[in-house]
Amino acid sequence: MTEYPHLFQPLDLGHVTLPNRVLMGSMHTGLEELGDFDRVAAFYAARAKGGAALIVTGGMAPNREGGVLPGAAGLFTDKDIENHRKTTKAVHEAGGRIAMQILHAGRYAYSPECVAPSPVKSPISPFPPAELDEEGIEKQIADIAEAAAKAREAGYDGVEVMGSEGYFLNQFLVTHTNKRTDRWGGSYENRMRLPIEVVKRVREKVGEDFIVIYRLSMIDLVPNGSTWDEVVTLAKEIEKAGASILNTGIGWHEARIPTIATSVPRRAFTWVTKKLMGEVSIPVITSNRINMPEVAESVLSEGCADMVSMARPFLADPDFVAKAKMGKSNTIAPCIACNQACLDHTFEMKVATCLVNPQAAHETELVYTPTETPKTVAIVGAGPAGLSTALVAAERGHSVTLYDAASDIGGQLNMAKQIPGKEEFFGLVDWYRTMLQEHKVDVRLNTHATPETLAEADEVIIATGVTPRDPQIPVEGNPQVVSYTDILQGRVEAGDRVAIVGAGGIGFDVAEFLAQDKPSPTMDLQEWKEEWGVDDPDVSRGGLAEGGPKPEPSPREITLLQRKSERPGKRLGKTTGWIHRASLMMKGVKMVGGVTYDLVDDQGLHVTGSDGALIIECDTVVLCAGQEPRRDLADELEATGRKVHVIGGADVAAELDAKRAINQGARLAAEL
Ligand code: FAD
Ligand code: NAP
Ligand code: SF4
């Protein structure tokens, strides 16, 4: 008997029955553009082997003008079809099924060739789109239908037509982007003509025994978005046009409301999909921030959908479904929704991977082979670098002892998890704890390692992390000047007026921590919806609440400072930096750049900015001025001629994050 009876119920689609209710949602990995199709096949086959009932590929362009970028991947030539056959074959051999997503970006295409219903430039692309004429529209429909036919030829089990997130088909639906006066614009009947025509023509091309998923925007989260009536009308028409399944899209890419970041509550939007249940007779899939089997099970058991889509969780752990089925959910590597190695990489034009699982999309290159020469491995530091090394080394058959001076594993992750909106880090530390047990790592906590402790080990790994940098600002009188560690480890309570020195990731996080004295909105969906101004699309068009966001005011007056004159927060994550900035600005946190720090005294922090000298009157100054490597142990060992491996913050502290620490640890352990 499974713990998750709804999750493991088969789903009958007529010509085919899916073994469970889990869809692996579409993600762009960038592998196709590399042209290494063995690697693409290995990536998808691992997820099929891990039990996903149906996989959807990253978006494939139906034509040049519809690609997200010039040169975007698609099925254009016979060679492309042959390449994609490698993937479909590998997935089928692994016992899975796979559908190809057809993504026409419309005005979101980062290309001067982009096309759209009307020449309305998007706020997230520099290129104004060309307005399509009747012939141009017919070409787009034909190209999308042809892409579906080629997908079938390449061995796919279906296609997903991307109709949400503000892409091409979505752009026809709302008056903000569709200003046409012909049969493709004006009334809603006209505006929805294109998506319906596309689904009809796709169905005609592929025949009845082929899965056609339509991804429909259920809540646009942009001004003048669709009403709920329009969403339901479209859903019914798309069913009539021949779709087999409706998938949920949440928010346009230009929306100023976070939809998948870690600060978004788990399953934050399943209530929207639930509203569609009963309106159509084909299966409905829900999505966004579903990252654990128990979350998926509750979504299904509450009747919010027939199936759940999870995307990033399959980067973190390809065996998600198999582990849930075996009753070993606590061994599933959790997706913490950080976007750091997946979506941020995509926006930086790098191949996507996963912070938690560096093997993701690197399956053929980072391989953990069992060792033929087991060694004793001593690792000092149970932060992410040391933890990652320990798990991979133990998995490969080495005998691993992990030391940490602290009373718990996790290193700095234990500070990260205190930040409102970063609660997923609790699960990550718990997962490491479970996996250390599973791999029988000998964990020695409350143990300050010295050269003597490590004398007998064959391999010594130093992952001792960092020490906070003291920026050496002169202090006079008796002001409260503390480090971020004092605040986040609970040793010091900040006063009512706070100046934060340093506006990097930690400065922003400390501001978030000090600006919130009530429970985190991430843990309370209603609070979160009010904070960001999300409403029922039945009440407010597009789901944007009248009156906008209503955040809880900060209990403190906070000023966040940096020396650089650039916009504070500019270097935060590509896809999440704007959320941190918006969240703090909504709470009235002041951000000041281009200063030099002169003095702290009982009046506050004295700085010189572009307008001259300034006093930030405050009760507490919190130093978040970066870190230095903690190398004392490594230096001591190396001085005696001992060869050691130094990783994580102990190696290089600048621009260190958990992604680099985990990746470096895993790659070292793969070679030991
Ligand atoms: P650490 O995590 O510092 O671990 C080092 C460990 O070594 C510690 O547990 C320490 O007790 C132990 N140690 C040191 N000396 C000895 C000794 N002699 N004997 C035994 N034990 C010893 N990164 C991200 O990627 N994403 C985020 O969202 C993010 N948010 C953050 C938020 C905050 C508030 C903070 C503080 C950090 C955040 N980071 C984030 C950064 C991330 O936590 C660090 O980059 C990462 O923890 C560094 O890993 P590490 O293993 O090198 O060192
Ligand atoms: P950081 O991002 O390097 O920022 C350090 C800040 O201190 C900068 O604002 C810097 O700006 C300032 N600074 C540096 N030297 C200084 C000095 N001598 N005097 C005064 N100010 C100084 O480092 P961090 O904020 O400590 O974060 C550490 C790492 O954790 C980062 O690499 C980050 O990636 C990671 N992290 C990530 C997240 C995330 O959400 N992904 C969150 C938290 C932390 P100026 O030089 O302009 O003053
Ligand atoms: Fe999830 Fe972060 Fe991994 Fe992306 S990088 S899959 S968000 S844990």
Side-chain angles (χ1 to χ4, degrees):
M1 178 62 188
T2 163
E3 274 174 82
Y4 311 110
H6 295 83
L7 203 58
F8 286 102
Q9 207 166 87
L11 181 66
D12 185 1
L13 294 177
H15 71 284
V16 67
T17 299
L18 302 178
N20 60 57
R21 302 299 177 109
V22 180
L23 176 104
M24 174 175 143
S26 174
M27 282 176 291
H28 182 84
T29 59
L31 288 178
E32 288 85 356
E33 282 79 3
L34 281 186
D36 185 348
F37 285 87
D38 291 326
R39 193 163 154 191
V40 179
F43 169 73
Y44 286 117
R47 275 83 199 157
K49 185 162 159 271
L54 180 60
I55 293 170
V56 180
T57 67
M60 293 293 136
N63 52 24
R64 273 175 66 92
E65 59 270 33
V68 281
L69 288 168
L75 291 187
F76 305 122
T77 62
D78 288 348
K79 182 72 189 157
D80 291 335
I81 293 177
E82 208 179 293
N83 287 333
H84 280 244
R85 277 207 191 104
K86 285 188 181 173
T87 293
T88 54
K89 183 165 176 282
V91 166
H92 293 150
E93 281 172 3
R97 288 191 177 81
I98 183 160
M100 186 185 88
Q101 188 188 70
I102 305 172
L103 169 63
H104 190 310
R107 71 179 194 139
Y108 278 171
Y110 197 82
S111 153
E113 287 181 49
C114 64
V115 295
S118 302
V120 184
K121 196 182 87 63
S122 109
I124 58 173
S125 161
F127 301 103
E131 183 176 71
L132 287 163
D133 59 13
E134 183 73 30
E135 201 183 320
I137 290 178
E138 170 52 34
K139 177 182 184 298
Q140 307 311 310
I141 300 170
D143 288 349
I144 294 172
E146 186 55 27
K150 285 185 174 154
R152 183 164 188 148
E153 211 182 320
Y156 284 103
D157 302 278
V159 287
E160 177 173 84
V161 176
M162 182 46 153
S164 62
E165 260 72 5
Y167 286 117
F168 182 61
L169 301 182
N170 217 171
Q171 290 159 22
F172 272 78
L173 291 171
V174 304
T175 52
H176 175 57
T177 41
N178 184 347
K179 314 273 185 204
R180 304 180 73 93
T181 51
D182 59 4
R183 69 192 187 105
W184 305 101
S187 66
Y188 191 63
E189 197 187 345
N190 282 354
R191 283 182 275 132
M192 69 177 178
R193 191 182 307 280
L194 181 74
I196 296 165
E197 194 56 29
V198 161
V199 173
K200 268 192 203 153
R201 297 272 286 276
V202 164
R203 177 56 79 201
E204 275 163 29
K205 277 273 184 182
V206 296
E208 286 307 310
D209 56 343
F210 197 68
I211 301 168
V212 177
I213 307 168
Y214 184 83
R215 182 115 171 248
L216 193 150
S217 183
M218 304 244 177
I219 180 167
D220 291 337
L221 300 176
V222 287
N224 299 318
S226 295
T227 64
W228 185 249
D229 272 353
E230 289 170 347
V231 169
V232 174
T233 307
L234 177 66
K236 289 180 173 169
E237 291 300 323
I238 293 289
E239 176 178 14
K240 273 195 237 156
S244 338
I245 302 177
L246 284 177
N247 194 0
T248 297
I250 303 290
W252 287 35
H253 284 321
E254 67 202 67
R256 293 291 88 187
I257 292 172
T259 55
I260 61 167
T262 192
S263 58
V264 175
R266 287 179 172 186
R267 55 167 295 189
F269 293 97
T270 56
W271 58 274
V272 186
T273 315
K274 188 175 185 185
K275 290 167 68 70
L276 196 67
M277 293 294 280
E279 301 279 6
V280 288
S281 55
I282 52 176
V284 177
I285 304 177
T286 193
S287 173
N288 287 46
R289 287 290 280 121
I290 300 168
N291 67 340
M292 278 292 147
E294 61 275 17
V295 182
E297 177 66 17
S298 63
V299 166
L300 294 172
S301 68
E302 289 166 26
C304 298
D306 300 295
M307 200 171 181
V308 291
S309 169
M310 289 179 272
R312 297 171 297 169
F314 281 97
L315 291 178
D317 199 329
D319 295 321
F320 184 104
V321 176
K323 287 179 178 175
K325 197 167 182 184
M326 284 188 300
K328 300 208 66 158
S329 294
N330 61 346
T331 66
I332 294 174
C335 166
I336 56 170
C338 64
N339 285 358
Q340 286 177 239
C342 51
L343 218 51
D344 283 350
H345 274 207
T346 302
F347 278 84
E348 291 159 10
M349 312 287 277
K350 293 191 216 155
V351 169
T353 181
C354 175
L355 174 142
V356 176
N357 171 23
Q359 281 185 309
H362 291 69
E363 283 79 10
T364 56
E365 175 246 329
L366 179 58
V367 184
Y368 306 148
T369 42
T371 179
E372 286 171 7
T373 49
K375 297 177 184 170
T376 56
V377 177
I379 302 170
V380 185
L387 288 166
S388 152
T389 317
L391 292 191
V392 176
E395 181 185 327
R396 293 189 53 227
H398 295 300
S399 169
V400 180
T401 307
L402 177 62
Y403 300 93
D404 204 294
S407 59
D408 196 3
I409 64 159
Q412 293 177 62
L413 300 182
N414 292 316
M415 283 186 274
K417 70 191 191 187
Q418 303 303 328
I419 309 300
K422 285 198 167 180
E423 290 79 5
E424 290 291 352
F425 278 97
F426 278 96
L428 181 58
V429 177
D430 288 347
W431 175 75
Y432 275 120
R433 198 174 291 113
T434 302
M435 297 312 285
L436 290 171
Q437 279 170 12
E438 288 276 317
H439 289 301
K440 304 198 169 35
V441 173
D442 181 1
V443 181
R444 312 262 179 99
L445 295 173
N446 302 305
T447 306
H448 186 92
T450 61
E452 294 71 48
T453 325
L454 311 167
E456 301 300 317
D458 296 329
E459 298 277 2
V460 173
I461 286 116
I462 303 296
T464 45
V466 296
T467 45
R469 178 182 293 132
D470 180 353
Q472 307 284 338
I473 305 171
V475 176
E476 280 177 9
N478 200 19
Q480 191 183 40
V481 183
V482 299
S483 162
Y484 64 89
T485 57
D486 298 318
I487 297 286
L488 298 177
Q489 291 173 344
R491 287 188 291 275
V492 172
E493 177 86 11
D496 290 341
R497 298 167 311 159
V498 181
I500 299 176
V501 171
I506 292 178
F508 266 79
D509 275 357
V510 167
E512 200 85 60
F513 180 83
L514 294 175
Q516 181 75 36
D517 63 348
K518 302 229 171 86
S520 162
T522 301
M523 306 310 284
D524 181 334
L525 181 56
Q526 197 46 41
E527 276 285 318
W528 181 84
K529 281 165 67 184
E530 276 167 31
E531 178 179 22
W532 286 96
V534 177
D535 200 2
D536 189 331
D538 227 348
V539 178
S540 308
R541 194 176 257 281
L544 290 188
E546 214 173 294
K550 291 197 180 64
E552 280 286 330
S554 166
R556 295 184 177 83
E557 207 177 283
I558 300 171
T559 310
L560 185 56
L561 300 112
Q562 70 178 20
R563 296 173 305 174
K564 287 186 279 294
S565 49
E566 69 189 29
R567 185 170 50 126
K570 188 171 174 232
R571 293 163 200 237
L572 297 177
K574 280 248 179 235
T575 62
T576 50
W578 69 272
I579 303 171
H580 294 298
R581 276 193 303 274
S583 162
L584 293 184
M585 278 158 75
M586 287 196 298
K587 285 173 165 278
V589 172
K590 291 193 204 84
M591 299 181 198
V592 184
V595 299
T596 50
Y597 305 107
D598 301 325
L599 173 77
V600 189
D601 65 12
D602 294 328
Q603 220 182 336
L605 175 62
H606 297 244
V607 300
T608 304
S610 52
D611 296 333
L614 179 73
I615 304 172
I616 314 287
E617 292 188 4
C618 61
D619 311 305
T620 310
V621 173
V622 186
L623 304 175
C624 304
Q627 294 105 6
E628 305 288 353
R630 186 166 174 184
R631 287 193 59 104
D632 46 341
L633 182 57
D635 291 345
E636 212 179 321
L637 285 160
E638 280 169 349
T640 65
R642 188 81 202 258
K643 188 175 168 295
V644 296
H645 306 274
V646 186
I647 59 169
D651 178 23
V652 180
E655 292 179 18
L656 169 75
D657 59 9
K659 178 181 76 172
R660 167 147 68 80
I662 291 170
N663 187 38
Q664 196 182 8
R667 283 176 188 273
L668 169 65
E671 299 291 323
L672 284 176

